[in-house]
Amino acid sequence: MALVNGRYVVLGFLDSVLTTLILGEAVSGTAKLIVIVTIINLITAFMAEYIEERASLSRIEKSLLRKRGSLLRTSLHRRAIYDALIKGLIFGVVSLVGASVTEFSMGILEFFGIPIVPLIVLGGFGTLMSKYFRGNAILWFMLYIVLGLTVSLLGHVINSAY
Amino acid sequence: MGGIRRVVLDVDIPSNISTVELAEKLGRVSGVKAVNVTVTDTDVEVLGLIVIVEGDGINYDEIKRVIEDLGGAIRSVDQVIVGEYILEVNPQLIRER
């Protein structure tokens, strides 16, 4: 069964929040951006995982001295598809949450055009993730806020340039 | 004369497959009363196993299907016992050969 590991939670949340922060002003329509981020992330994660699983099956076929593609009719392949689907779904759902939270909270409180609430949410997420590997909570809170701030500023620069 | 009572197989399976899962699936095959899965060799991708299946009228095709469905390969059939009772081989006869 697919392992619900931290990688897809961090990747999904961080990617969706940062993408929404950077594209927030450029893409008009709240739902549009959320749907775009979620679907792209879901498909990307599924394809990346499936390719990795297929490569693993290919290595196993070689080790077992079996014909190429012979494992495609086994439960091993069905399990690989299932695992890739689950991981894609986790990535998609976390992305949906990240993009929705960012998009809906962007206009609540702003300071010189910088959305404050998404940055605090991002910092909170950093703190939460630091518990996962017993890291320094304050350091990771600050790191995620700086990351969000940088991306937000980058978004402003790009949007005002074009 | 009865059906297959014991089969001893030399099997390779992908190392991400659980030997417990394999044993349980083999245990559900018709005619099987006991299963022994012993790991004899470990590699990064592959586990080498000796699989011993005992019962009464064991469905060998189903045994083969279960192993292959889990991505395994039967390298050799090392022992097959068919009949009314389990006829053990005399180890001395093998040594003398």
Side-chain angles (χ1 to χ4, degrees), chain B residues 74-88:
Chain B
I74 297 173
R75 293 284 166 237
S76 61
V77 182
D78 295 340
Q79 188 183 62
V80 184
I81 297 175
V82 178
E84 294 294 325
Y85 61 93
I86 289 182
L87 179 62
E88 294 292 357

Side-chain angles (χ1 to χ4, degrees), chain A residues 7-46:
Chain A
R7 186 193 306 168
Y8 280 101
V9 178
V10 175
L11 202 60
F13 196 83
L14 207 55
D15 182 76
S16 59
V17 171
L18 298 182
T19 308
T20 313
L21 277 175
I22 209 162
L23 292 178
E25 286 177 31
V27 179
S28 59
T30 307
K32 202 164 148 188
L33 185 59
I34 294 171
V35 169
I36 289 170
V37 170
T38 305
I39 289 176
I40 287 177
N41 283 359
L42 204 145
I43 293 169
T44 310
F46 173 76

Side-chain angles (χ1 to χ4, degrees), chain A residues 53 56 59-60 63-66 71 73-76 78-79, chain B residues 12-14 16-17 21 45-46 68-73 75:
Chain A
E53 295 280 356
S56 168
R59 283 195 301 273
I60 292 169
S63 301
L64 286 169
L65 306 173
R66 289 182 66 154
L71 289 180
R73 290 178 300 276
T74 65
S75 62
L76 213 59
R78 290 193 292 277
R79 203 173 299 184
Chain B
D12 282 349
I13 61 162
N16 58 345
I17 292 294
E21 186 188 350
E45 305 282 352
V46 175
E68 287 178 350
D69 188 53
L70 286 171
R75 293 284 166 237

